[in-house]
Each structure stands twice: as structure tokens, then as C-alpha cells.
Amino acid sequence: MLIVLADTVFPDSAIERNVLAEAGHELVIADSPDQAVELLPEADGVLTAFLDLSAERIHTMKRAKIIARYGIGVDNVDVAAAHSQGITVTNVPDYCIEEVATHTVAMLLSLLRKLPEADRHVRAGGWGVAGVRPLRRVSELTIGLIGFGRIGRLVAETLAPLGPTLLASDPYARSVPDRVRLVEQSELLAASDAVLLHAPLTPGTAGLIGTETLLTMKPGALLVNASRGGLVDLTAVTDALRDGRLGGAALDVFPTEPVDLPSISDIPNLHVSSHIAYYSEEALRESQHKAATQIVRVLAGEAPDYPVVPPKESE
């Protein structure tokens, strides 16, 4: 069967090609988004990272049995439209848990210890603590995690030995470890010295951290987002950093990417990275192999490992 690779975001596609070839399938790699769209009517399966698979485009997919997305989110796929046509949608929800958790903790500790500021202080000829005051002891802090799935749990597990009070807010969490207290989001925001975002992007979570939310947070609190850029109103956050209501923020993801540089220039205590929290060489290989494997399973009439259910069916 014909499998269309809609966008090549990896160094090469040898893993997918080998997995699919072993099952007797042909892989065609689109040269551009326009060519990928042209190939959709012929595809028995589609592998994609970022191609916009709207309802209109999905309706052209007369042969397809599966859309397999690299990565966790499926924001670019109209899952309901796919299911209405009998097309299975899959993702890879467990491929970069360690990487995103590690990146989140690294960003948090960098904010808490003011490492970029310390670096600039030394390079400017300074020395001692004057350039980084005040610093807080981690064990005296309250850290809140909004979203407590695989990544949030690993972040909490990583931070626990440092001794902070850990809060979590997640409407779907049924249980939490002993070191974590499950609370309402409003309580978490009001009590936390640092807020870490690990929620999916949905209509209900878009703009989760905005002007009103920021006013409910502790003065001088920190914010870390390595989850979805749309969870944060970037203008509201940069305004809060400028006027000192937020003590610092670390962002790996942005509502629009690449980020508009003037919008983040000269912002005090803002640490940024370029949507790399998911990345390690091992994570990329895992994502490629697992996404291609979902194609093979579904086309063989087997159940996928990672089916994505339309929102209306999960409510």
C-alpha cells in the first residue's frame, strides 16, 4: 500500500522506510506541503508532523485508513473528521517524556539559580552574589504543576528529592504520589512560587495563562512552559515580567513559531529556547519507529497502540 510522508522533519526517513518495507508498503516522501496535499487522495496511510489536515483535506482521502502523527499533540489533525470517514488517528504520546521533563526541570532551576544572569555578571567583570540577589532555597518553595500526565509526574518525581512542596491540578488525575497534593487550579496559582505547564492545548486551555490568571498568582512567581505555546498569552506574560508581577519565565514554546524576536527582546528574567524540549537523538528514533509501526498495525487490521479519540467521544 502507498504511505505518504507529508513532512520530513527528521535527518532521514530510513527508519520509516525500513519498517514499512518489511510490511510490503511503499513510502513516498512529499517534497512540499502542496505536493503532500496532492498525494492525499492516493494514500492508504499518512505520516505527518505538522501538515494541516483539516476536514476539507481529510475528505479528499478516499483510500486512507490511518493518519499517524509523530509526537504527542494532534492539533493539526481534525480527528473528528477523520473518524467520521473511518480513518484511525494515532500519535506517539510516550516518546519524549524524559526529554520534556528534563528540559522543564532545567529551565526551572536556571530561573531559580539565575544562571544566565550569573554568566552575564561574570563576563561583565562582576563577582559574588550581588548580580543575582535574591535567590531562594528550593526546599522552601511551593511548585505547582498544571497538568499531571506522564510528563508532569516525572517532573514531580525529579523535583521531589530537592524538597519543595508540590501541588498538581488536573481534572483527569485520579491519584497522585504521596509527595504531591492535588488541588484546584485557582489554589495552585495562588500558592505556587513557580508554575509549570504540562497541559494539552484545547479550547478550554488556550490562553490559560493570561492577564486575569497572572493577577491571581503570587507576586514574583515563576512560570515555565515546555508544553504548548498556545497555553500562554505571550503579551500578558511579557507585560507581567516588565512590571515585575512575574519574577521570571522560561518558555520553550510560543503561540506563533518561530517567535517574533521584538516581542521578547529586552524582557527581564525571560529565558527562552527554540521548541527543543522534545529533542534527543533517541527520542527522534523512537518517534519515527513508533509512528511507522502504527501504520503497519492498522493496515494489517490490528488495533493501534496509540489511538486518538475524537473529543466528542471522550466527553
Side-chain angles (χ1 to χ4, degrees):
M1 295 187 182
L2 178 66
I3 312 304
V4 171
L5 177 53
D7 33 27
T8 53
V9 297
F10 302 107
D12 63 63
S13 304
I15 292 174
E16 297 94 321
R17 191 176 297 281
N18 290 339
V19 169
L20 294 169
E22 287 179 6
H25 303 309
E26 177 187 1
L27 179 67
V28 174
I29 301 174
D31 293 330
S32 66
D34 287 342
Q35 186 186 33
V37 171
E38 292 175 2
L39 290 169
L40 292 180
E42 306 171 31
D44 296 289
V46 174
L47 279 163
T48 184
F50 301 117
L51 183 68
D52 179 17
L53 288 171
S54 62
E56 181 181 0
R57 288 177 174 176
I58 287 171
H59 290 329
T60 71
M61 299 168 64
K62 304 303 182 183
R63 295 173 49 179
K65 298 292 189 295
I66 177 172
I67 297 168
R69 188 182 182 277
Y70 301 106
I72 298 173
V74 289
D75 308 347
N76 59 313
V77 180
D78 190 324
V79 179
H83 277 251
S84 72
Q85 285 189 208
I87 300 173
T88 297
V89 178
T90 63
N91 63 350
V92 188
D94 57 357
Y95 83 103
C96 63
I97 306 305
E98 178 181 343
E99 286 76 10
V100 177
T102 300
H103 201 87
T104 298
V105 172
M107 285 189 126
L108 174 63
L109 295 180
S110 180
L111 280 174
L112 288 171
R113 299 303 303 174
K114 298 186 180 179
L115 298 182
E117 294 88 339
D119 179 87
R120 289 194 295 269
H121 182 59
V122 173
R123 292 177 188 277
W127 197 255
V129 301
V132 297
R133 277 182 166 159
L135 299 180
R136 299 282 309 279
R137 178 178 288 175
V138 176
S139 62
E140 300 292 325
L141 302 179
T142 296
I143 298 174
L145 298 91
I146 297 181
F148 205 66
R150 293 179 177 92
I151 295 171
R153 287 175 179 272
L154 184 54
V155 168
E157 180 182 327
T158 304
L159 290 173
L162 298 178
T165 298
L166 294 170
L167 306 179
S169 174
D170 189 324
Y172 302 103
R174 297 292 178 263
S175 63
V176 295
D178 292 340
R179 285 293 307 272
V180 179
R181 185 160 63 91
L182 195 62
V183 298
E184 294 296 323
Q185 181 175 296
S186 57
E187 179 181 347
L188 182 149
L189 290 169
S192 296
D193 297 291
V195 174
L196 316 182
L197 302 182
H198 300 292
L201 181 61
T202 68
T205 62
L208 174 68
I209 302 298
T211 302
E212 293 184 7
T213 314
L214 289 163
L215 290 173
T216 70
M217 293 171 62
K218 293 178 71 171
L222 306 178
L223 174 70
V224 179
N225 185 20
S227 181
R228 287 284 180 260
L231 298 175
V232 168
D233 180 333
L234 184 60
T235 299
V237 166
T238 54
D239 286 347
L241 288 167
R242 284 192 179 97
D243 66 24
R245 282 180 290 129
L246 266 184
L251 306 176
D252 178 63
V253 288
F254 298 87
T256 301
E257 295 179 349
V259 66
D260 177 51
L261 289 179
S263 70
I264 61 169
S265 62
D266 301 319
I267 306 294
N269 300 327
L270 175 62
H271 301 183
V272 298
S273 56
S274 55
H275 200 148
I276 60 171
Y278 72 93
Y279 168 70
S280 73
E281 289 297 311
E282 293 83 357
L284 293 189
R285 291 193 292 269
E286 183 178 357
S287 177
Q288 289 176 270
H289 188 273
K290 287 184 172 179
T293 300
Q294 302 316 295
I295 298 271
V296 171
R297 290 183 65 86
V298 169
L299 294 184
E302 301 174 7
D305 300 302
Y306 310 110
V308 178
V309 180
K312 65 178 181 180
E313 295 181 15
S314 63
E315 294 173 354

